[in-house]
Amino acid sequence: MTSAREALDSFSVSFWLPIGALTVALVIKLPSLVKMWRDPMLRAVGGLLLFACAVFVFASPSVIGWTNRVTGVPNIAAPLVYSLLTALCASWLLLIVAWRNGLSDRSASTRRAARRVVLAYAGVVLALWVLFWLADVPVERRRDLDTYYANTPFMREEILLYLLAHTVACSVTARLIWNWVRTDGLDAWLRWGLRFLGVGYATNLLFDAAKLTAVTARLTGHDLDWLSTYLAPSAACVSATLVATGFIIPHGGQYLHERWRIRLAHWRLRPLYLLLRKVNGGAPFTLRATGELRLIRRETYIRDVLLQLARHLDEQLRERSYDAALALGFEPGRAKALAAAVTILDGVAARERSPQSDSVASPSGPDTTYLLQEIQAVSLALRHRHHIEAVRSRAAAPGERTPAHD
């Protein structure tokens, strides 16, 4: 058994891991909390993250020792940590009340449910302090207080009370979150966030099981203290980290996905942008421009130059190229993009040969409109020059020479 205890101690999870993850989640949520503080769901989320951080800060052995020393009361850190943990449980349930009925629900039943949660867990906090003052706990215990005082009158009841309140909150929250995960129509990032939350709250039940087993063993004259001293804190740290990740994923994932979408769209327009620079130079560059602004400028530049180039576009060449692409086996959307790419390459070459020419091969019309609307598809087609050359060769009019374009 000693080796098992040593192994668990060596692999125990640092309290600073969940503190860091919870702090990151709180920072991400902070702008929304400040702007929409009246929203009960956001208040519950803010309270949850704040109390969770406080629990792990004040539950660390060094802070427990500091709290006891500053107040001069042995083990007063115990009811403080238990109270913060109970407040955290209440915030879980309040969040579920808000989630269950949606953001717009302000019904009397919702308010009553929230009041019942607040009153019940406020009563638990009050009982924890009363039981502590009635108990006789003169020996400071920073890591194993729950099992050391498991047989002490009043302290025994306090330990069982906070574990019961925690177990009930974890069970209800985990069950409702897993029910929500199975709901249709959820955003993918939100669904993954809920999965992490569900696993996190389920892992919290391992903390309760370890604590209750160790305390029950003490009550029956056995020694399973290692479950409470080593396994339970690690389970709590892992649980809190998963819960924090569950809150981070929907916001962080959506933000990164949007950044990636903008960068990808900007990159996809590069071939068409480089080609049209031959017509009208480059778009203005700003060093500190955001990704959205750079994308908008590139899109605007391409559309402006395409409008200038419209007089040099050969509509008949575009039609022949479209038919040629279909004949080569390309699907209609791809064939349309390849035909447009062939036409633009031809138009750029014509513009370079006679930059002052006013001859009109195809006025602005449906095909120019397509070019303006589908610049992403046309730009991607330009990346496959061998496809373009195959279409151009097949679309060439009888006796017409197909020039090679760079």
Side-chain angles (χ1 to χ4, degrees):
M1 187 62 68
T2 302
S3 60
R5 294 179 185 181
E6 293 175 350
L8 281 171
D9 190 30
S10 62
F11 287 103
S12 61
V13 181
S14 171
F15 277 24
W16 293 107
L17 176 62
I19 290 172
L22 290 164
T23 301
V24 169
L26 184 59
V27 169
I28 290 175
K29 283 283 188 180
L30 194 58
S32 300
L33 290 170
V34 173
K35 292 179 182 177
M36 296 180 288
W37 176 247
R38 294 183 179 274
D39 190 296
M41 181 182 293
L42 285 174
R43 286 204 303 268
V45 171
L48 187 157
L49 295 172
L50 187 61
F51 283 125
C53 285
V55 165
F56 283 96
V57 169
F58 284 94
S60 61
S62 59
V63 177
I64 287 175
W66 175 85
T67 305
N68 295 334
R69 184 174 63 256
V70 168
T71 59
V73 180
N75 297 310
I76 198 173
L80 175 61
V81 173
Y82 297 162
S83 298
L84 290 171
L85 187 59
T86 302
L88 175 61
C89 294
S91 68
W92 294 343
L93 295 175
L94 289 173
L95 182 61
I96 290 300
V97 169
W99 269 348
R100 180 189 63 186
N101 296 320
L103 290 173
S104 62
D105 187 272
R106 299 292 185 272
S107 65
S109 62
T110 300
R111 292 194 296 271
R112 281 196 302 271
R115 279 198 300 269
R116 284 197 295 267
V117 170
V118 172
L119 290 174
Y121 278 81
V124 171
V125 171
L126 178 61
L128 290 172
W129 284 97
V130 171
L131 289 168
F132 176 77
W133 291 118
L134 293 174
D136 182 21
V137 287
V139 181
E140 183 186 60
R141 309 301 297 184
R142 298 188 183 186
R143 294 173 62 91
D144 62 347
L145 182 142
D146 290 350
T147 50
Y148 187 85
Y149 288 111
N151 287 304
T152 301
F154 300 111
M155 198 64 193
R156 171 183 58 227
E157 287 74 16
E158 174 166 3
I159 293 167
L160 292 173
L161 178 60
Y162 98 81
L163 288 174
L164 177 62
H166 187 263
T167 302
V168 169
C170 279
S171 301
V172 172
T173 306
R175 180 175 61 83
L176 293 177
I177 285 179
W178 280 114
N179 287 341
W180 193 11
V181 169
R182 293 190 287 269
T183 303
D184 295 332
L186 289 180
D187 173 78
W189 290 110
L190 176 59
R191 192 181 299 278
W192 274 106
L194 288 172
R195 286 172 178 162
F196 273 88
L197 287 175
V199 174
Y201 287 117
T203 306
N204 244 328
L205 293 174
L206 178 59
F207 166 86
D208 294 316
K211 285 283 186 180
L212 286 169
T213 301
V215 171
T216 303
R218 275 285 188 168
L219 292 172
T220 57
H222 299 86
D223 182 2
L224 292 176
D225 292 4
W226 61 274
L227 289 173
S228 176
T229 306
Y230 301 114
L231 180 59
S234 294
C237 291
V238 171
S239 170
T241 304
L242 290 171
V243 169
T245 304
F247 282 110
I248 292 171
I249 283 178
H251 294 273
Q254 289 170 2
Y255 174 81
L256 293 176
H257 177 75
E258 183 63 18
R259 298 300 97 191
W260 171 251
R261 186 192 66 79
I262 290 171
R263 288 183 177 275
L264 184 61
H266 191 268
W267 175 79
R268 284 176 172 172
L269 288 175
R270 179 176 172 79
L272 185 55
Y273 168 73
L274 293 177
L275 176 64
L276 295 180
R277 283 176 60 182
K278 299 178 180 179
V279 177
N280 196 29
F285 175 76
T286 303
L287 182 63
R288 296 188 178 182
T290 63
E292 294 93 335
L293 183 57
R294 288 198 297 269
L295 176 61
I296 291 172
R297 284 179 174 174
R298 178 163 286 188
E299 289 176 338
T300 303
Y301 172 82
I302 288 173
R303 291 189 174 97
D304 288 345
V305 178
L306 283 174
L307 287 174
Q308 297 176 27
L309 193 65
R311 68 185 60 189
H312 299 283
L313 301 181
D314 187 342
E315 172 63 14
Q316 293 182 350
L317 174 61
R318 192 203 65 80
E319 293 177 352
R320 294 197 309 272
S321 298
Y322 178 71
D323 293 337
L326 290 176
L328 289 171
F330 294 102
E331 53 89 19
R334 177 70 171 164
K336 201 171 185 180
L338 286 168
V342 170
T343 307
I344 291 173
L345 283 167
D346 182 80
V348 170
R351 172 70 163 70
E352 289 178 335
R353 288 194 300 270
S354 53
Q356 303 302 323
S357 173
D358 290 327
S359 62
V360 179
S362 175
S364 179
D367 299 298
T368 304
T369 301
Y370 168 77
L371 293 178
L372 297 175
Q373 293 175 344
E374 301 296 332
I375 56 177
Q376 288 274 353
V378 176
S379 186
L380 285 175
L382 286 169
R383 292 184 178 276
H384 302 280
R385 290 305 181 94
H386 58 290
H387 290 165
I388 290 176
E389 293 302 327
V391 170
R392 177 189 285 133
S393 298
R394 193 177 184 96
E400 179 182 346
R401 183 184 176 190
T402 58
H405 299 286
D406 294 331

